[in-house]
Amino acid sequence: MTKKGFVINEPFGAKPKKLEWNQIKSIRFSNNDKILILKIDENEIALNHNQIGWFEFIQNIPKSFKQFDFKKVDLIIGSLKPCEVCGIVAVRNNVCKVCDSEPWNRNSGKNKMEYLKEKQLEHFEYELKNKSEINKIAEAQHGFKADKNWKLHI
């Protein structure tokens, strides 16, 4: 994202699409708030909430889009819960948007500490294999805040 616009990465290695904010006629959420619809001339581009950067994107839409529902952005971001696995405030609809983990619950068949250790081992598998250091303090990423109370259990 830049002040003038943004880039949308297309799937399967297609050339990224560069757009400037002044090319966008309107921006709106779908009925279920999981898709952002950008109108460009007579065409529409749908950005799914599962795409990396979607949450950062909705928080950086210029205020010049007077018809856009900025209150809905605040509601969506405000509804996110902290993930005890990765430490990012990114749990929506019972799944973390960063690490894809589900929060621990009593029905998981494991005690909470066992569950968190297992999930953290999965999430930090690359760092562990490569003997890279794992941050013991979560850092904000992809438009999500870090949980300052997060603990690494591995």
Side-chain angles (χ1 to χ4, degrees), residues 29-31 33 58 69-77:
F29 284 102
S30 63
N31 291 337
D33 302 335
I58 66 171
D69 194 347
F70 291 100
K71 288 182 181 176
K72 191 169 283 190
V73 172
D74 294 339
L75 287 172
I76 290 169
I77 299 303

Side-chain angles (χ1 to χ4, degrees), residues 65-132:
F65 288 93
K66 302 287 185 210
Q67 301 302 318
F68 182 65
D69 194 347
F70 291 100
K71 288 182 181 176
K72 191 169 283 190
V73 172
D74 294 339
L75 287 172
I76 290 169
I77 299 303
S79 72
L80 298 172
K81 306 288 183 229
C83 177
E84 291 183 276
V85 175
C86 69
I88 306 300
V89 181
V91 175
R92 184 177 191 210
N93 299 325
N94 217 32
V95 175
C96 179
K97 296 295 179 184
V98 173
C99 72
D100 276 338
S101 295
E102 292 181 21
W104 175 83
N105 67 62
R106 296 185 197 294
N107 300 326
S108 69
K110 297 177 179 154
N111 73 42
K112 187 174 185 176
M113 193 56 61
E114 250 180 74
Y115 180 82
L116 292 176
K117 283 181 182 179
E118 180 182 303
K119 291 297 181 181
Q120 286 181 349
L121 283 168
E122 288 174 16
H123 179 66
F124 294 108
E125 180 179 17
Y126 177 81
E127 288 87 345
L128 292 168
K129 277 185 181 177
N130 293 299
K131 296 181 172 51
S132 300

